[in-house]
Structures are given as structure tokens and as C-alpha cells.
Amino acid sequence: MDIKKLLSQMSLTEKLGELSQYNMGVLSTTETGDLTGPANDLKLTKEELAVVGSVLGYSSAEGTKKMQDEHIKNHPHGIPLLFMQDIIHGYRTNYPIPLGMGATFDPNLMEECARMSAKEAAVNGLHVTFNPMVDLARDARWGRCMETTGEDPYLNSLMSAAQVRGYQSDMNKEYSIAACVKHYAAYGAAEAGRDYNTVDVSERSLRDYYLPAYKAAVDAGVEMVMSSFNLVNGVPSTGNKWLLDDVLRKEWGFDKILISDYNAVYEMYDHGYAKDAKDCAEKAINAGMDIEMMTTCYLKEIPALIEEGKVSMETVDKAVLRVLDLKNRLGLFENPYYYADKEKADKIVFCDEHRALARLAGEKSCVLLKNDNNVLPLNEHSKTVALIGPFIEEPMIGGWPGAGSRNEVVTPLTGVKNLLKDAKILTAKGCNGTLKEQPDYKMIKQAVKCAKKAESVVLVLGEHDLMAGEGKSKTDINITPAQVELCKAVCKANKNTAVFIYTGRPLVLSEINDIAPAIAIIWQPGTENGNVLANMAFGKANFSGKLPMTFPRAVGQVPIYYNFYTTGRPNHEHDLPIAYRSAYQDERNSPLYPFGYGLSYAKFEISDPVLSSNPLKRGETLTASVVVKNVSDVDGEETVQLYIKDCYASLARPIKELKGFKKVNLKAGEETTICFEISEKQLEFFTANNVFEAENGDFKVFISNNSNVKTFATFKLI
Ligand code: NOJ
């Protein structure tokens, strides 16, 4: 299709339609073709609805075809629709929430999962997924931690690019869908972890920590970028010319589609940044925003803005061309159904192969925090097992499940029953799993009764999946008093108790940690939930997950993250409440469990790092190597992590930064050498010169299996 020619024939309303996206609430008409309440509320006309360019949140093999037919018929130029939806951890086969995927430290697995998602979504008529979500998160109070891969810019960047590759496959493979990286920018830095809240960060922090994962998506060829709801240093992202035009478009060379978040163009009014809807439209489009989601500022206000010379037709045309270009490259002008195909959907979606991949990802995401007396794995030949906890029969799937249905989730109870076919499974809830819940001793008594009768106990605690996600911030991330009391009583009743924590964010586990002999984080594993739980609890799979976010000792430590700056009065070495040091009176500085931490049944020893040479000359590389030995009698997988500290610089640098990691599988007793190449590139940061560069000086190299590592080797960059 000659899209420039098409553009030249389009009316202004048609053009603005391309730049408008609505959901089915707005787009559905009555049987007689009349508009419904939501469309009327937005004062949209039939003519405007007929030229809307894209649909939010609708997919169905048959439904999208029907809608496409109808739309093309009614559109003056027969331009097809784009269907976009939030598919963030699987379409109908749900793999773990992104935070769980972060814990796999496995970009290849992430890519495979995204590929599976794309297949299921494409045959259901989708063209775009609003994912990857790569907002760096350091504050566990924020409900949307569950949607990110965590607190580290390097890990997030790898996961970001992996997802783009998985969804898009360069947009040339069967079942590719376009990815939309979000929420640009720094949405995860919301003050006090309260969703949508103000973000006030220095440009350096943005450049060094928050922006890299969006850029990684752009470098991987992402087709769309979604702006975030928040202010960034006083200007809403949606109308932030510096972010959208200067950085994203000009510096990074992104010339594809930018879309606002839901209602965000008009929310610039609520932010106090725009006078009215017209001002919102002007600020958004002139900042480079192409599509507005769920508002009518463009359709209603841009015609007057053009007449007044405040917005140019050229700006509008550029935006429209970007949308038409995607439609064209997807081939929608020739085949508007894209891959929508009911027969294929019936075969591909929720197939055994996909469920097996989701289960594998679930297992790989589990993080073992402690395992005193080798309580785990529990004996799979036990005759009587107790499954206790508020969520044992909850079909938790994890936020934004796409077309995933709770009815298809394997609950913890079903999973344990699937695995332990001959065992007697005793169950008790012990509490209800609500917010701020106080103990109900009757329920606890019931649970204790079960625990006493059983050979071993799987105790399922944490937070319900509905407690994490958009708009689900919390002030208190402690395990509730009800759950702590339950844990105390059950662990006392049965020493063979393993606690599995369901969660979409780091929680404060300090009390549980003092009580329970074995603790594992299972996040929200998705469709295969209960099967993952059973496999991990009863030794069908070994643990290999690593924490992608720091787990604090106390809520008051939040935000807490491993790559902090030391102060002039550092206290991290002593980690005690010393007066006039940077410390708390009532708590240590260190986290309960650090970033990158996670045990396996195998035990690994990692030697001190050895450097191939010193100094490192610019343009050359050096190798840092360690010997990793599996000193246990079980096989296992370890994630060997490389951290670097820039000792002094034109701007202070963090205590250490993740710069690489490698997965290694070692048989019992086996050892191997793991090498990391270090070059100038890894030493770059946004310096006092306002550019990314490496500065000459001293560097420390740490290699370990978590971020809390003290031994290092040093080199000089010259
Ligand atoms: C709002 C959310 O912030 C965003 O992540 C999502 O993609 C849109 N709604 C569309 O559902």
C-alpha cells in the first residue's frame, strides 16, 4: 500500500481517528448501530467512531475478523484496525508474572515465553501487546513491582530485549506481534510507592538506572513505546518533549509509534500541567505523542489547533504515517485478519507444549531463601501430607492474565493432588489471607490439627494475586499477624514444614524467617500454579531462581536496593545502629535477603576472582575468572554474577553494579571455570560531562552468586 498516497486522500477526522484508541465499551454499538453510554459520554459521533484506528483490549479469532470486516466496510478508505492488548505473561497459557520471570535470570527462557505468548495472541487476532513493561522498581510498596523484572538496569535491559525479540521475531516470522515497551519513563520511581505518584529524579539517575531498559527495547527494534502516567521532574511523561522528542526520538532514533497510557493525555489537566483538553492535545502531539488512549483530545481539539497554527498538519501527518506504516508492514491492507484463525487457535492456544513451558518457567522462577535441616524437598512418598494456608484453593493467576482464566489455573491443592496420587492430603486455610488480617485462633487450631497428623506440611502464605498490580500499592508489606501466628503454630506442630510465599512484590519476611525452617518464594507462577508448587515442594525440580528485587527486613528500609551509594558516613560494613553513621536506631541497614540471592539443593563454592591482566587499556578487554564447584552430592544450576565498583569518579558511583551473569549446570562434585570479559563499555556511566563514558581509575571486580559479596579483585583503567 502506498501509505503516503493514502494519507493525502484522508480527511482530518480520518487522520485523527488513526491517532485515537478506544476499548470495546466505547466501540460497541447497539444492534441497531447506535452508540452506547461510554461513546456518548465521550461525545463521540458515529463518523468519528467509524475512523478510529485501533482497539484496546479486545482479541478473539472470530470476533476480530467480524469487527475488522465491519470497520473496513464503514471506513471511507477501508483502513483496517489495529488490535492491541495487555499480554504481559502469556495470552491464555500464563507463565509467571514478570517479577517471577526476572527471578529466572534467564533471558532465553523469557524470549521463549514471549514467543509462545505471541503465537497464542496472534491466532486470536492481536497485532500488538502492551509489553514489555520494564519500569525499574526499588519500592516494594508499589503494586506494579509484579509487572517488572525488578530493580536492576542490566537485568531489566536483557529481559526487555528478550521480550521484544520473542514477540516480534523481527516482525518477519509467522505469528509475530508488535511489542510496546512501557511505561516511558520511570513510572516505577513513584514517590512512596504510591501508584501514579510524582517522580522526581535527576537526569543522572534516569540515564544510569531508569532509562536503559526502555532503550534496550528500542535497540531491539520495538515497534511501540507507551508513555507513563507520572510526572517526570514536573512534566507529565505524556507531554514531556524532552523525554519523548529529545531523548527517545532524536537521541535513540525511535521513529515508530508512541502511545499514551489510558486517559493520560487528558490527565495532564489533572496534573495541573494543561489548562484544558485543548491544551492537553497541543502539548501531547507537539511533544511527539502519536496515539491517545481512551480520550478525545485529538479528535475534538486538534482541528481548531491546526487552524490557530498551534499544531501543524505536518506533525499530524507524521504521526498518522507511523500508524499506517505499522498496519502496512503487518500486511493488514492485504490481509486485515492477520493471523486470526479459529482452527489454529483451537490447536495452538493452551496446548500441552505451552503448558509445559509455563510450568518450566514457574519452576525456574522459584527462589529458595532458606532450607534448615534440609526440610525441602519434602518426601514425595509421604502417606499423609498437610497443605495449609489461605490460598490453597485459590486459582491465583497473576495480574493482567490476558485471556487466561482462573477456571483453568491449577490450584495449589489440585497440584499437590496431581503429584501425590496415593497420599492423604489434609487441608486447612488457617486464615483468610486478607489485608491487615488478625489471627483467628479457631482457624489456626484447625490447621495445627492437620499439621500434627501429617508427615510434612506445605504452608502457603504471602499475598493474594489481587493484592498486587495497577493501583495496588500498600503501606505495609509485612506478612499479616494472622499469617505469622499461623506459621508459628504450624511450624511448632510439625518440624517438616516448608513455607511457600506467593507474592507480586518483595514482602517483609523477618518474622517468618525466624520461625520457619524452609522458605521459598513462588511469586505468582500462572496457569500451572499448583503443579509448580508440588514439583518444587516434593523435589521434582531443583531451585535455581534468584531474587530480582531486594527483600527488606522492615518496611521502613524501603526503597532499598543493592546498588546504593555509600555515604560519607557509611555503615554497611558494620550493619549496626551506630550513632552518627548513616544508620537506623532500630534496624540494620542490610536487607533480609539481597538482590541476586537464591539457594539450590546443590551447594556451590566460588573462588575469588582472578584477572587476566591489570591495567585495562582502553579498547582492550580483560578476563575475570572464577572456579565454580558443586561441593554437594546433588546436581544443580547456579547463576554466577559479575559486579563492578568504580572506586572514585567525577560523580560518585554505587557500591557495586551487576555487569554480567552466567548460568552454569554442574553435576555433584563437578567444577568449572567461568570467565567474564570486561571492557571499557561495562564501565561507562553518565558522567559529569553529560555523556556515557568510562573514566580512568580504579575498579573492583566481585563475582559471586548474589549481590552481597565482599571479596574482590582490582584493576585500573588507563
Ligand atoms: C493502564 C496501564 O497502566 C497500562 O500498563 C496498560 O497497558 C493500559 N492501561 C491499557 O490497558
Side-chain angles (χ1 to χ4, degrees):
M1 166 67 67
D2 182 345
I3 53 171
K4 286 206 173 133
K5 189 164 160 215
L6 173 61
L7 181 77
S8 71
Q9 296 162 354
M10 289 165 72
S11 68
L12 181 56
T13 310
E14 282 175 66
K15 290 180 184 177
L16 298 175
E18 286 303 311
L19 307 184
S20 306
Q21 174 170 113
Y22 303 108
N23 63 15
M24 293 302 278
V26 175
L27 295 172
S28 315
T29 50
T30 63
E31 272 176 20
T32 49
D34 291 325
L35 306 190
T36 59
N40 289 326
D41 291 348
L42 291 174
K43 299 196 171 55
L44 284 162
T45 64
K46 268 192 186 178
E47 292 65 36
E48 286 165 339
L49 278 190
V51 296
V52 160
S54 56
V55 182
L56 165 64
Y58 179 65
S59 57
S60 142
E62 296 288 291
T64 53
K65 281 184 173 176
K66 201 164 147 226
M67 196 166 167
Q68 198 70 288
D69 283 343
E70 196 67 14
H71 185 78
I72 290 170
K73 197 174 78 196
N74 293 331
H75 191 292
H77 285 96
I79 300 178
L81 287 163
L82 279 170
F83 289 95
M84 311 193 190
Q85 195 177 336
D86 295 273
I87 308 301
I88 78 160
H89 61 114
Y91 180 78
R92 194 172 128 201
T93 314
N94 291 108
Y95 51 88
I97 55 169
L99 192 60
M101 291 306 294
T104 66
F105 271 63
D106 191 340
N108 294 334
L109 182 62
M110 182 60 130
E111 184 175 338
E112 250 188 277
C113 286
R115 183 83 204 125
M116 153 178 111
S117 255
K119 277 189 193 166
E120 294 198 0
V123 290
N124 277 293
L126 277 180
H127 307 128
V128 179
T129 174
F130 292 130
N131 204 42
M133 192 283 209
V134 301
D135 304 326
L136 183 137
R138 291 170 162 179
D139 194 326
R141 292 170 297 183
W142 191 45
R144 300 194 82 169
C145 290
M146 63 136 295
E147 289 179 56
T148 85
T149 48
E151 73 182 37
D152 181 65
Y154 176 75
L155 177 63
N156 285 357
S157 298
L158 292 184
M159 291 303 203
S160 171
Q163 289 176 86
V164 173
R165 287 195 304 272
Y167 293 126
Q168 297 193 169
S169 301
D170 293 332
M171 299 307 288
N172 59 15
K173 252 203 208 148
E174 203 181 12
Y175 309 130
S176 295
I177 60 171
C180 175
V181 69
K182 67 188 186 185
H183 306 83
Y184 184 73
Y187 180 36
E191 271 180 12
R194 203 179 71 222
D195 208 1
Y196 318 122
N197 204 8
T198 300
V199 170
D200 206 279
V201 280
S202 68
E203 183 178 349
R204 284 169 219 302
S205 243
L206 276 172
R207 300 275 191 179
D208 282 337
Y209 308 111
Y210 292 97
L211 298 188
Y214 310 107
K215 180 162 189 299
V218 170
D219 291 344
V222 77
E223 288 289 342
M224 289 180 61
V225 175
M226 184 189 290
S227 67
S228 56
F229 285 122
N230 50 285
L231 293 179
V232 175
N233 302 335
V235 182
S237 297
T238 312
N240 196 317
K241 203 162 184 327
W242 178 75
L243 271 178
L244 306 188
D245 198 44
D246 296 351
V247 178
L248 181 65
R249 296 249 192 250
K250 298 207 173 91
E251 257 183 58
W252 299 355
F254 178 75
D255 196 25
K256 294 176 179 168
I257 303 172
L258 246 166
I259 187 167
S260 81
D261 203 341
Y262 196 108
N263 206 44
V265 169
Y266 188 68
E267 286 175 18
M268 289 201 286
Y269 165 78
D270 296 285
H271 275 296
Y273 181 71
K275 194 168 91 195
D276 49 23
K278 192 169 168 188
D279 201 18
C280 290
E282 182 184 339
K283 290 193 159 123
I285 195 132
N286 283 339
M289 179 57 62
D290 300 317
I291 301 180
E292 67 169 333
M293 187 193 288
M294 292 301 289
T295 42
T296 56
C297 305
Y298 283 14
L299 267 168
K300 300 292 183 193
E301 311 294 346
I302 287 186
L305 288 166
I306 289 181
E307 249 172 52
E308 291 162 23
K310 292 184 174 149
V311 170
S312 73
M313 189 61 93
E314 197 196 338
T315 304
V316 172
D317 284 353
K318 258 196 191 167
V320 177
L321 271 181
R322 289 189 190 110
V323 180
L324 294 179
D325 176 56
L326 179 60
K327 292 184 175 181
N328 199 25
R329 282 184 296 113
L330 290 170
L332 299 189
F333 290 102
E334 294 78 35
N335 169 21
Y337 304 149
Y338 200 47
Y339 290 110
D341 186 323
K342 172 96 175 54
E343 252 173 55
K344 282 197 177 143
D346 289 344
K347 256 196 230 141
I348 292 176
V349 175
F350 212 61
C351 62
D352 288 350
E353 190 193 328
H354 286 185
R355 292 189 61 173
L357 180 61
R359 191 161 59 245
L360 176 75
E363 292 165 3
K364 296 269 179 200
S365 74
C366 287
V367 183
L368 181 61
L369 297 183
K370 67 181 282 194
N371 193 22
D372 291 355
N373 313 319
N374 294 328
V375 164
L376 279 167
L378 303 174
N379 182 1
E380 61 165 319
H381 304 295
S382 303
K383 295 211 168 59
T384 313
V385 164
L387 180 61
I388 297 173
F391 311 126
I392 58 176
E393 290 194 74
E394 284 293 308
M396 295 192 293
I397 194 166
W400 297 111
S405 154
R406 286 181 191 266
N407 295 331
E408 290 178 328
V409 171
V410 181
T411 64
L413 180 56
T414 310
V416 173
K417 279 187 178 161
N418 286 345
L419 184 68
L420 307 186
K421 297 231 160 41
D422 303 323
K424 189 164 172 202
I425 320 277
L426 306 173
T427 61
K429 280 178 72 175
C431 66
N432 293 310
T434 51
L435 287 170
K436 295 179 180 281
E437 191 182 6
Q438 294 301 318
D440 174 333
Y441 289 99
K442 249 204 208 142
M443 290 180 92
I444 292 178
K445 213 167 147 192
Q446 197 88 38
V448 166
K449 231 165 111 185
C450 290
K452 279 193 171 153
K453 282 192 206 146
E455 286 160 55
S456 57
V457 182
V458 180
L459 178 58
V460 164
L461 302 175
E463 61 173 23
H464 197 279
D465 68 338
L466 297 174
M467 287 179 189
E470 188 179 346
K472 300 282 170 60
S473 295
K474 278 178 165 182
T475 59
D476 189 356
I477 51 169
N478 277 291
I479 295 286
T480 60
Q483 293 193 22
V484 172
E485 288 306 305
L486 174 65
C487 186
K488 265 189 207 158
V490 169
C491 290
K492 194 167 158 214
N494 191 320
K495 300 271 168 276
N496 277 330
T497 297
V499 176
F500 279 79
I501 303 285
Y502 281 84
T503 185
R505 51 158 69 84
L507 294 171
V508 174
L509 302 177
S510 299
E511 284 180 284
I512 297 284
N513 199 56
D514 289 342
I515 306 163
I519 304 177
I521 308 294
I522 187 167
W523 314 106
Q524 295 291 350
T527 307
E528 290 288 307
N529 182 342
N531 291 335
V532 172
L533 174 74
N535 285 354
M536 298 316 291
F538 295 96
K540 288 289 167 199
N542 197 346
F543 287 87
S544 61
K546 299 282 178 184
L547 293 180
M549 279 184 83
T550 304
F551 271 51
R553 294 179 190 278
V555 186
Q557 292 179 308
V558 169
I560 180 169
Y561 42 94
Y562 83 94
N563 48 353
F564 61 89
Y565 294 87
T566 57
T567 66
R569 297 183 172 195
N571 204 44
H572 53 276
E573 294 296 343
H574 312 285
D575 203 21
L576 291 168
I578 302 173
Y580 304 107
R581 308 300 295 176
S582 182
Y584 299 103
Q585 292 184 63
D586 55 353
E587 189 51 273
R588 294 157 72 176
N589 283 10
S590 65
L592 188 64
Y593 289 105
F595 172 84
Y597 182 87
L599 304 173
S600 155
Y601 294 139
K603 200 170 170 315
F604 298 95
E605 274 177 13
I606 302 179
S607 67
D608 289 349
V610 175
L611 305 183
S612 61
S613 55
N614 181 21
L616 171 64
K617 291 196 189 124
R618 288 181 185 268
E620 294 183 358
T621 57
L622 69 76
T623 306
S625 56
V626 285
V627 176
V628 184
K629 183 164 188 191
N630 181 346
V631 292
S632 70
D633 51 11
V634 226
D635 303 348
E637 180 178 288
E638 184 56 293
T639 305
V640 185
Q641 303 158 35
L642 166 76
Y643 296 90
I644 296 184
K645 156 87 179 153
D646 188 341
C647 300
Y648 53 89
S650 60
L651 294 163
R653 303 304 300 144
I655 186 90
K656 57 174 79 93
E657 295 175 280
L658 184 70
K659 294 293 179 181
F661 56 84
K662 284 189 179 168
K663 294 237 163 222
V664 53
N665 275 287
L666 290 179
K667 298 226 171 328
E670 200 183 349
E671 68 173 47
T672 190
T673 301
I674 295 287
C675 300
F676 292 96
E677 298 260 287
I678 299 176
S679 68
E680 201 182 318
K681 189 89 198 126
Q682 281 134 299
L683 312 179
E684 287 181 353
F685 68 102
F686 200 68
T687 68
N689 293 332
N690 289 340
V691 288
F692 278 96
E693 60 186 344
E695 292 179 351
N696 285 353
D698 296 334
F699 293 84
K700 290 182 182 170
V701 177
F702 308 81
I703 301 180
S704 182
N705 52 9
N706 73 79
S707 61
N708 183 22
V709 42
K710 303 267 187 287
T711 50
F712 55 84
T714 51
F715 71 88
K716 243 185 208 322
L717 175 70
I718 56 171

